[in-house]
Amino acid sequence: MILVTGATGKVGGQTASQLLDAGLPVRALTRDPTSAALPKGAEVVRGDLADPATLDDALDGVESVFLVWPTLSADHAAPSTIEKIAKHARHVVYLSARGVPDLAPGTPEPDPNSILGSHALIERLIERSGPEWTFLRPGGFAANTLMWASQIRDTGTVRWVHGGATRALIHERDIAAAGVSVLTGTGHAGARYVLSGPETLTQIEQVTAIGEAVGRAVRWEELPPEEALRELVGQGWPPAAAKGLIDGHARMAMFPESVTSTVEELTGRPGTPFRQWAADHADAFR
Ligand SMILES: NC(=O)c1ccc[n+]([C@@H]2O[C@H](COP(=O)([O-])OP(=O)(O)OC[C@H]3O[C@@H](n4cnc5c(N)ncnc54)[C@H](OP(=O)(O)O)[C@@H]3O)[C@@H](O)[C@H]2O)c1
């Protein structure tokens, strides 16, 4: 039995579906089974990663866990939740993030209140917990561009910051496929896989590709960083995490994210281009 957390979300949902397609038994975790849309065939269990006492049913009899962590919001419970997972699972595949520093002497730890700091915390806890582990460290998700969907639908213009920021955005399906290869294959214990899409595009090029997918021209309008920060904080982002995101994009305008070959190495198929992701999700932008 494989427990998939984040199973109502983008990567966990794809992972659960692909495992089921491969004929494997899947248990899907959600905080609210009544409203959750989950892949047909999954055993659905209620549980909250921020409250380890709720995880007994979810962990009973599991062999492996595909762990999507609710970054920052559940970190206070992380030591006891990871300890509990370690009592049951033989292998934990953790959806981490590109940029988490490896634990080598002298490596500075990221700010614990940042997204990378949260992933670093969870990685360290898993490394010390006992079961075999594998870390998937994807860079930016193609799905992050869904944050522009309402602007594109309403105005045909994206007002955002650092249009020259260049990323190798990855399709959630490819992250899941890498996870499925790890969960169903051998020789992945102790590996930290940096995953990316197969090409780099600036944010302006991403917007153009979305326009092509929906069949309408979409414009880019550059927003000053201070205004973007105010918007993110207004949407409920913690200020430090919002600033980290915007500063990260400023860096990627100067130093583009690089492409890795790990998706193809793990799955035997090249990664999906961003244009295909945009075509797969065109309805969200119409
Ligand atoms: N976006 C990026 O560019 C990027 C890059 C690298 C890594 N990541 C990492 O990817 C992860 C997010 O993956 P995603 O985008 O696939 O997720 P998502 O679509 O945002 O969905 C979030 C999932 O987390 C679950 N969840 C939230 N709080 C929970 C809790 N307290 N206990 C149990 N489950 C909880 C939700 O399940 P219910 O609501 O059903 O309970 C939902 O299935 C984060 O850790 C993020 O840092 C993101």
Side-chain angles (χ1 to χ4, degrees):
M1 177 60 79
I2 302 169
L3 175 67
V4 178
T5 82
T8 58
K10 294 178 282 291
V11 178
Q14 274 287 330
T15 306
S17 298
Q18 292 182 28
L19 287 168
L20 289 163
D21 288 347
L24 292 153
V26 170
R27 190 174 288 159
L29 186 82
T30 173
R31 289 164 297 170
D32 182 5
T34 55
S35 67
L38 283 155
K40 201 162 172 278
E43 182 191 322
V44 180
V45 280
R46 205 199 84 78
D48 186 338
L49 291 167
D51 181 2
T54 65
L55 296 173
D56 290 327
D57 289 348
L59 287 166
D60 185 34
V62 298
E63 170 106 348
S64 320
V65 176
F66 184 84
L67 182 63
V68 179
W69 187 257
T71 318
L72 294 169
S73 68
D75 288 2
H76 59 281
S80 33
T81 297
I82 303 296
E83 191 187 337
K84 189 152 200 171
I85 290 172
K87 285 197 182 121
H88 294 264
R90 193 187 49 77
H91 188 189
V92 177
V93 178
Y94 175 55
L95 177 65
S96 183
R98 188 172 191 171
V100 173
D102 291 325
L103 193 56
T107 310
E109 287 286 322
D111 171 2
N113 298 312
S114 68
I115 291 171
L116 282 186
S118 173
H119 285 298
L121 165 77
I122 306 301
E123 283 197 5
R124 308 291 180 258
L125 289 169
I126 293 171
E127 279 169 337
R128 293 165 185 153
S129 68
E132 286 182 357
W133 52 262
T134 308
F135 299 150
L136 303 180
R137 290 177 170 173
F141 292 2
N144 292 349
T145 61
L146 289 168
M147 75 184 278
W148 300 326
S150 64
Q151 292 191 60
I152 291 176
R153 283 196 306 265
D154 297 347
T155 67
T157 298
V158 171
R159 297 177 69 244
W160 194 233
V161 67
H162 301 308
T166 304
R167 302 205 79 169
L169 295 178
I170 183 166
H171 199 307
E172 57 275 9
R173 202 165 57 209
D174 290 348
I175 304 172
V180 170
S181 294
V182 167
L183 284 162
T184 56
T186 54
H188 302 294
R192 302 171 176 87
Y193 292 123
V194 177
L195 308 176
S196 82
E199 58 183 352
T200 55
L201 294 179
T202 64
Q203 294 201 96
I204 295 172
E205 289 167 338
Q206 294 159 28
V207 163
T208 304
I210 293 169
E212 283 163 11
V214 299
R216 110 183 239 211
V218 182
R219 278 183 355 99
W220 176 272
E221 193 180 312
E222 185 71 25
L223 209 61
E226 314 74 59
E227 205 175 319
L229 181 64
R230 268 198 304 278
E231 279 198 13
L232 285 178
V233 172
Q235 289 164 20
W237 277 68
K243 185 162 181 336
L245 180 89
I246 291 169
D247 291 351
H249 279 77
R251 275 193 299 279
M252 285 183 284
M254 286 186 289
F255 309 104
E257 210 171 50
S258 61
V259 170
T260 71
S261 51
T262 323
V263 166
E264 184 159 4
E265 284 157 18
L266 286 172
T267 67
R269 293 185 306 276
T272 310
F274 180 75
R275 280 176 185 76
Q276 182 60 52
W277 179 91
D280 292 345
H281 295 78
D283 284 349
F285 298 98
R286 285 198 179 104

